[in-house]
Amino acid sequence: MSNLAVNDMDIVQRALDALRTAGADKASVSFSRGEKSELNVETGRMSLYRTTINVSLHITAHLQTRKGSVWANRYDDETVEQAVTDAVAMARSSEPDPANDIAPARPMERFEDGPTEPDSDAMYDRLKEFLEHVSAHYPSVNLEQCILDFGRDQQCWANSNGAGFQGLAGAYGFQAMFTSKEGTHTSSFNYSGASHRSLIDPLKDWANVDELMRQSTEQTRASSIDGAFEGDVIVTPDCLGDIIGALVGTYMGDRALITGTSPWKNRLDDRVSSPLFTLRSMPNGPDVEIGYRWTGDGFRAENCTLIESGVLRNFTLGLYGSNKTGRPRCPSGGGALAVDAGNSTLADMVASVERGILLARFSGGSPADNGDFSGVAKNSYLIENGAIVRPVVETMIAGNVGQLFGAIRAISKERVDYGQAVFPWVLAGGVSISGK
């Protein structure tokens, strides 16, 4: 662990001491220092190489059952002193809540993951290689923006009970946003990306970028579906992450359980989805390459299964939500998600669909408290009689998130690795699909 990380923990400890002096009964402090080196591409050309540094200080004070928190982006003595004063003042004026607490004492742990310095030459070569690939294979694709970066993050966290963590982690991130143009016809924009510890693989092979660019070239001449029908949907990995996020937020998260709106609030250890579906939270891998070592509320992050063969095994409650509801705290913190691979190929899944869509992107608001959703299918395809027929536009889909996962009929063997998550293709029925 670098000396800089040790000095950062000194900042945290000084803030904790100041909180005790100011009258806090309990307290926690986190400090992060992130350095990012990035190469940018705009309108198909490399345009910028720059390095940015960001710092963040988060101070939380507890006065009995009252809590106050303050964020700052500086860490000089005057800023820390003012943040401590403000956090304590906020705690004094806040409403009492017995659910407010901090993590128990545990030994300090230090972690180091991934490279600590960027390979700038390799970054340039990989991005140049990607641009050449796009030019040669997808001349109609316009790269609206691409960013290849290397981020090094130093983080320290400690609380007044004596728990503490230090971490130094490095990773490369790649994001690409693009459209296609053929004459006067233009596709809808699409995007994808991933994070990895190394640049061993070409950028075209990161996430599902290459396939999405190929699809983009087909989507310049998309058309609407006539009428409305109830059919199947094959959710792509790029879209599945957003839908799982809606599932977790609506059915398994703090807000839904604290307010009592979660349809699954009394369903722990009950079957809530198709038995084909298993969702894991894997901050320590091995499926998820880039996880995290501790949770935001100060516990060592442990892998756990959220849904196992359709059975709800864990909510994603943090310490506050657990205290508030009396339900178990999620040992993983609920991130670094992976869906187990299934037994079907994507080709077989498509062949089994009589009528439906391949859903690549969904544009819509958050689901209602009961899980109902509606929105527009973007960059998607009509499937009829077991074949992908054509790209579609102005196509609405509607359904219920919980029912969608209950209606899963197949999950693909193939999965896409995003570095921080791993998702397959998922086939489910009972979705309302409508065009003009």
Side-chain angles (χ1 to χ4, degrees):
M1 188 62 58
S2 69
N3 289 332
L4 186 57
V6 174
N7 292 338
D8 288 351
M9 184 54 81
D10 289 343
I11 295 168
V12 170
Q13 293 296 343
R14 287 201 305 271
L16 282 174
D17 291 342
L19 284 160
R20 294 187 189 97
T21 300
D25 300 307
K26 298 179 180 179
S28 63
V29 178
S30 66
F31 180 78
S32 65
R33 187 193 304 268
E35 182 175 310
K36 183 168 288 188
S37 302
E38 65 179 42
L39 273 169
N40 284 261
V41 173
E42 293 184 2
T43 62
R45 295 183 179 182
M46 280 195 246
S47 62
L48 178 67
Y49 182 80
R50 65 180 180 182
T51 299
T52 59
I53 297 176
N54 293 295
V55 299
S56 178
L57 178 68
H58 185 210
I59 290 176
T60 300
H62 293 253
L63 276 73
Q64 296 181 348
T65 62
R66 302 173 188 265
K67 185 178 86 168
S69 293
V70 171
W71 291 88
N73 58 8
R74 297 172 59 185
Y75 56 95
D76 57 273
D77 290 345
E78 183 178 350
T79 298
V80 173
E81 181 180 348
Q82 187 61 54
V84 166
T85 299
D86 292 344
V88 171
M90 289 178 65
R92 287 198 176 99
S93 62
S94 68
E95 292 294 323
D97 189 340
N100 288 324
D101 204 355
I102 62 174
R106 55 166 295 114
M108 171 73 70
E109 289 191 84
R110 296 179 173 85
F111 306 97
E112 188 166 327
D113 298 293
T116 58
E117 297 292 337
D119 186 336
S120 301
D121 291 339
M123 290 175 66
Y124 179 87
D125 290 343
R126 281 301 190 202
L127 196 54
K128 181 174 180 289
E129 174 188 54
F130 178 75
L131 296 179
E132 292 171 349
H133 172 79
V134 174
S135 177
H137 292 83
Y138 310 116
S140 64
V141 166
N142 296 315
L143 292 170
E144 304 289 345
Q145 186 180 58
C146 288
I147 299 175
L148 175 61
D149 62 48
F150 175 82
R152 180 180 65 188
D153 294 312
Q154 297 180 119
Q155 297 182 329
C156 301
W157 179 95
N159 72 12
S160 57
N161 282 343
F165 300 96
Q166 290 180 245
L168 176 62
Y172 295 93
F174 176 62
Q175 303 85 37
M177 184 174 70
F178 43 85
T179 59
S180 291
K181 187 173 183 180
E182 184 181 338
T184 59
H185 301 280
T186 304
S187 71
S188 176
F189 79 91
N190 207 350
Y191 55 89
S192 190
S195 299
H196 293 294
R197 297 292 188 197
S198 77
L199 295 170
I200 191 170
D201 294 322
L203 297 178
K204 71 179 181 64
D205 296 331
W206 286 35
N208 208 25
V209 171
D210 198 47
E211 173 62 12
L212 293 181
M213 289 192 299
R214 186 198 67 77
Q215 291 177 2
S216 178
T217 66
E218 301 174 339
Q219 293 165 2
T220 57
R221 296 182 180 271
S223 55
S224 179
I225 291 173
D226 293 328
F229 64 96
E230 184 174 289
D232 294 334
V233 59
I234 297 179
V235 183
T236 67
D238 283 275
C239 188
L240 185 61
D242 291 336
I243 295 178
I244 288 176
L247 178 79
V248 170
T250 305
Y251 292 78
M252 304 164 67
D254 285 73
R255 187 195 68 82
L257 289 159
I258 290 171
T259 59
T261 60
S262 168
W264 292 354
K265 58 181 179 291
N266 297 316
R267 302 289 303 278
L268 199 63
D269 293 323
D270 286 350
R271 188 173 302 284
V272 294
S273 73
S274 163
L276 299 176
F277 183 69
T278 294
L279 176 64
R280 304 183 192 277
S281 177
M282 306 183 75
N284 295 312
D287 280 14
V288 177
E289 178 185 4
I290 301 177
Y292 47 92
R293 297 295 194 161
W294 65 89
T295 65
D297 47 8
F299 292 83
R300 179 73 165 86
E302 301 174 12
N303 290 349
C304 73
T305 301
L306 301 178
I307 299 175
E308 182 178 30
S309 300
V311 176
L312 179 63
R313 296 302 189 193
N314 280 284
F315 295 115
T316 59
L317 291 166
L319 177 62
Y320 176 80
S322 174
N323 289 342
K324 196 74 172 174
T325 64
R327 295 179 172 89
R329 184 187 64 84
C330 181
S332 69
L337 298 176
V339 174
D340 282 9
N343 297 318
S344 303
T345 66
L346 175 58
D348 287 342
M349 289 164 61
V350 173
S352 72
V353 174
E354 181 177 343
R355 197 171 191 212
I357 62 169
L358 177 71
L359 181 63
R361 189 159 65 88
F362 176 77
S363 178
S366 299
D369 287 342
N370 68 350
D372 287 349
F373 70 89
S374 64
V376 181
K378 299 280 192 178
N379 306 106
S380 300
Y381 289 81
L382 175 66
I383 304 173
E384 289 183 326
N385 300 318
I388 296 175
V389 176
R390 57 180 171 83
V392 296
V393 294
E394 297 178 352
T395 299
M396 299 290 295
I397 65 169
N400 179 275
V401 176
Q403 292 174 11
L404 180 73
F405 283 89
I408 290 173
R409 295 206 315 271
I411 295 178
S412 68
K413 297 177 181 179
E414 305 98 324
R415 296 195 299 174
V416 174
D417 180 5
Y418 298 95
Q420 297 176 329
V422 182
F423 297 130
W425 283 258
V426 170
L427 166 62
V431 175
S432 297
I433 301 168
S434 59
K436 288 184 177 179

